[in-house]
Amino acid sequence: LKKYGVILDQEARRKKILAILKDSARSEGASAEFNQALLETVTFLSESPVGFTGKFEKEYLELPVEVLESSMAKNQKIFLLKDGKGKALPAFVGILNGKHKDIALIRRTFEAILNAKLKDSMFFLREDLKIKLEERIDSLKGVVFQAKLGTMYDRTMRLQKLVRYVADLLGLAEEEKKKAELAALLCKTDLVTQMVKEFPDLQGIVGREYALSTGEDKEVCKAIYEHYLPKGPSDPLPAGNISSVLAIADKVDAITGFYAIGFIPTGSEDPYGTRRASLGLLKILSDRKYPVSLDDLLDKAFELYGGALSCDRAAVKSQIIAFQKERLKNILLDKKYKNDIIDSVLSPGIGRFDRLNKKLEDLSSIAQTKYLLEAAKVVERVSNILKGAKDFRESAAKIRPELFKEQLERDLWEIYEKSKEKIEERIDAGDYAGATKLYAEAFSSPIHLFFEKVVVNADDQALRTNRLALLKAIHAVYVDRAADLSKMELQ
């Protein structure tokens, strides 16, 4: 194989192609940045790579860089050359398989085909720009989002309302809210342009460029593109609140709809990108530390779908949150939080993302303290008793002080009443370390003494239920709003 010029090793081929590209770029005064996806493709299309440089008409530099790159990669598998600022140069590099006698003829053929393709793209650009994006909104009524979930127009109307809801939760200024709503109205309109029909992978990019060309606000233009981010694990997140709010709304709407009609990702199957949307949503919410809860977002998304979704909403919502918890745990592990601390914080529910991060930080900072161990033992003992009480209905149980028979019951009830408000104040203030310390100081000794001296599962049904209700209240004051410390691996 080597004798006939075949490079068997794929990494060696990749290096050879990259060296050809860099040499060509240097000779043209271009940067050494290339389309990595195309490099991967070309590596497996050529066993004996040979390069050449070609030119195209300068008038086509009016096209967005992404359109030039997409056309070249899709139609001819050639590389656009760019300057150090990422601006397109009127030159490209092609990779052939094996040596050819008449490289000049091959170059001219590639150039002729490329110029013809770019002429088509210029036609699409000029025709598209005759109609503003806002004038295309009604055309979305002819684009199906999903057969059971309506059209892209329906989706756009939902997104506009969901964006306003999220913006309100974040407390954005009225001007930002209006920009986010406008971005929501325009973000899918490029789907009905000729350019996106030709290059579907450029949706969002085309919308951004067309919006810029017609003088839309720069933040609105950025959001039209960035609401698709992140598309993959290495992609950047949307920059700024307007882009982030639209990205959150877009992903929540899609996740809710697809789960509701039974399109749930399983194994490697994810035809509607629900797993990708989930990861993107969670990364934005956790990295930005927004004061938003997934429960509230899903409730609003269901409300906006209205009668279009005929499903058990509570069951679907539970499925979605369970899936998100697993994805979120992986994200948090990547951030180097310990597994048991993550389990402890996520066990009661995800909750608001600003509080989620604070819980993780606080519990991590006090992981070796004596009072955390004491609080964890209280939670663990109470949890075990409650789990074992099969006939105890939490919703129906109310604490009735008049039923207390033992002084230790009365003492524990008095401690609960004195401590409850103080613990809740610390939690409301986001001081989870302080809340943990107060919880340990209040209940560590009394709860152990109570279990030692008082029979919780008494024969008297009313007495047993009352004691379990007291324990449930003590458990809930911390665990339901902070963390289930029984999940922590403490010594």
Side-chain angles (χ1 to χ4, degrees):
L1 290 170
K2 188 175 181 180
K3 177 183 174 182
Y4 286 95
V6 175
I7 303 174
L8 181 63
D9 184 275
Q10 64 203 44
E11 289 306 316
R13 288 201 307 276
R14 190 192 310 274
K15 288 179 181 178
K16 174 78 178 290
I17 293 168
L18 194 54
I20 292 170
L21 293 173
K22 287 181 178 179
D23 285 345
S24 298
R26 194 179 303 113
S27 66
E28 295 292 329
S31 73
E33 294 294 322
F34 306 102
N35 184 329
Q36 292 301 306
L38 180 58
L39 177 59
E40 178 77 7
T41 299
V42 172
T43 296
F44 291 96
L45 286 179
S46 174
E47 59 186 21
S48 181
V50 175
F52 71 94
T53 305
K55 305 285 186 179
F56 61 90
E57 299 294 336
K58 289 184 179 180
E59 66 177 290
Y60 299 131
L61 293 177
E62 289 182 37
L63 291 165
V65 170
E66 294 88 352
V67 172
L68 292 169
E69 280 196 303
S70 188
S71 177
M72 292 180 188
K74 176 184 175 183
N75 297 311
Q76 295 173 278
K77 306 295 185 288
I78 56 179
F79 295 82
L80 173 68
L81 292 179
K82 295 176 282 188
D83 65 17
K85 295 181 179 179
K87 187 178 178 181
L89 299 173
F92 66 89
V93 181
I95 303 295
L96 303 176
N97 187 31
K99 294 181 179 179
H100 296 265
K101 291 182 180 179
D102 198 345
I103 289 290
L105 175 61
I106 292 171
R107 180 186 296 110
R108 287 196 301 273
T109 303
F110 267 80
E111 289 174 342
I113 294 170
L114 177 58
N115 280 307
K117 292 291 184 182
L118 296 182
K119 185 178 181 180
D120 289 342
S121 295
M122 280 296 293
F123 173 78
F124 297 151
L125 176 69
R126 287 166 181 162
E127 288 299 305
D128 284 343
L129 289 177
K130 291 177 181 178
I131 305 173
K132 290 185 176 182
L133 292 182
E134 63 191 49
E135 295 170 3
R136 296 180 180 273
I137 295 171
D138 274 353
S139 298
L140 293 174
K141 293 176 180 177
V143 181
V144 175
F145 169 44
Q146 204 285 331
K148 295 180 181 179
L149 300 177
T151 66
M152 277 295 178
Y153 179 85
D154 299 326
R155 187 162 194 236
T156 296
M157 296 301 105
R158 290 196 303 272
L159 287 181
Q160 190 182 27
K161 293 172 184 174
L162 192 51
V163 154
R164 165 62 72 158
Y165 175 76
V166 178
D168 284 340
L169 289 177
L170 299 185
L172 300 189
E174 188 60 30
E175 184 181 357
E176 286 185 298
K177 291 176 184 178
K178 288 179 179 178
K179 287 180 181 180
E181 286 182 291
L182 177 58
L185 270 178
L186 301 179
C187 70
K188 304 300 181 184
T189 52
D190 65 353
L191 296 176
V192 292
T193 63
Q194 294 190 60
M195 192 70 82
V196 169
K197 288 175 183 175
E198 178 69 15
F199 304 109
D201 57 314
L202 295 183
Q203 57 187 277
I205 293 171
V206 169
R208 177 192 65 196
E209 295 302 315
Y210 286 3
L212 281 169
S213 70
T214 54
E216 294 292 351
D217 180 89
K218 288 184 178 179
E219 287 184 286
V220 172
C221 300
K222 189 192 296 184
I224 290 171
Y225 165 65
E226 290 189 346
H227 85 281
Y228 287 107
L229 298 178
K231 296 179 180 179
S234 59
D235 274 5
L237 298 181
N241 287 329
I242 294 169
S243 295
S244 297
V245 164
L246 181 54
I248 290 167
D250 182 67
K251 290 165 177 55
V252 169
D253 178 81
I255 292 165
T256 304
F258 288 126
Y259 261 84
I261 61 174
F263 291 153
I264 301 169
T266 56
S268 61
E269 296 296 320
D270 189 21
Y272 290 94
T274 313
R275 184 184 291 108
R276 184 174 66 247
S278 296
L279 287 170
L281 173 66
L282 293 170
K283 280 191 171 184
I284 295 168
L285 291 171
S286 60
D287 279 35
R288 296 281 188 267
K289 300 179 182 179
Y290 280 143
V292 174
S293 93
L294 193 57
D295 287 79
D296 291 341
L297 292 175
L298 293 172
D299 286 341
K300 187 64 178 179
F302 273 118
E303 176 192 319
L304 292 174
Y305 268 104
L309 298 180
S310 56
C311 62
D312 183 340
R313 294 189 175 186
V316 171
K317 182 180 170 184
S318 179
Q319 275 185 312
I320 294 172
I321 290 176
F323 184 82
Q324 305 305 314
K325 271 191 181 182
E326 288 300 314
R327 307 284 82 70
L328 181 57
K329 182 175 180 179
N330 292 330
I331 291 172
L332 296 175
L333 285 170
D334 287 342
K335 292 184 178 181
K336 308 304 180 186
Y337 289 112
K338 290 181 64 179
N339 184 68
D340 61 325
I341 291 177
I342 295 170
D343 286 342
S344 177
V345 168
L346 291 183
S347 182
I350 297 173
R352 273 176 37 176
F353 281 82
D354 56 335
R355 293 175 178 170
L356 171 71
N357 284 275
K358 189 64 167 60
K359 289 176 191 177
L360 290 164
E361 290 162 8
D362 277 16
L363 291 184
S364 297
S365 70
I366 63 172
Q368 304 303 318
T369 61
K370 181 182 177 183
Y371 65 83
L372 178 66
L373 177 62
E374 291 173 345
K377 286 181 177 177
V378 171
V379 171
E380 185 177 27
R381 292 199 72 178
V382 174
S383 293
N384 289 338
I385 288 289
L386 293 172
K387 286 175 188 174
K390 303 297 183 184
D391 61 341
F392 176 58
R393 292 185 300 145
E394 297 175 10
S395 59
K398 291 184 180 179
I399 301 169
R400 297 170 60 189
E402 71 273 11
L403 293 182
F404 292 148
K405 291 185 67 176
E406 306 285 346
Q407 184 59 42
L408 287 174
E409 288 179 284
R410 299 185 185 94
D411 292 345
L412 195 57
W413 170 245
E414 186 177 336
I415 291 168
Y416 169 76
E417 285 201 303
K418 286 181 179 178
S419 306
K420 180 177 182 290
E421 189 174 337
K422 293 177 183 177
I423 294 168
E424 288 177 340
E425 282 176 357
R426 290 293 86 219
I427 291 174
D428 289 338
D431 179 10
Y432 298 99
T436 306
K437 189 173 184 179
L438 284 175
Y439 190 73
E441 290 171 349
F443 296 111
S444 181
S445 296
I447 204 75
H448 298 309
L449 185 62
F450 178 82
F451 283 133
E452 184 181 334
K453 302 292 185 180
V454 177
V455 178
V456 176
N457 292 315
D459 293 333
D460 186 315
Q461 177 68 46
L463 190 60
R464 180 168 69 251
T465 298
N466 202 46
R467 287 172 179 173
L468 288 169
L470 174 59
L471 293 176
K472 175 59 185 174
I474 292 169
H475 186 267
V477 73
Y478 180 88
V479 173
D480 286 5
R481 299 181 60 205
D484 184 354
L485 300 181
S486 67
K487 303 289 184 183
M488 294 192 69
E489 298 169 5
L490 301 171
Q491 296 179 353

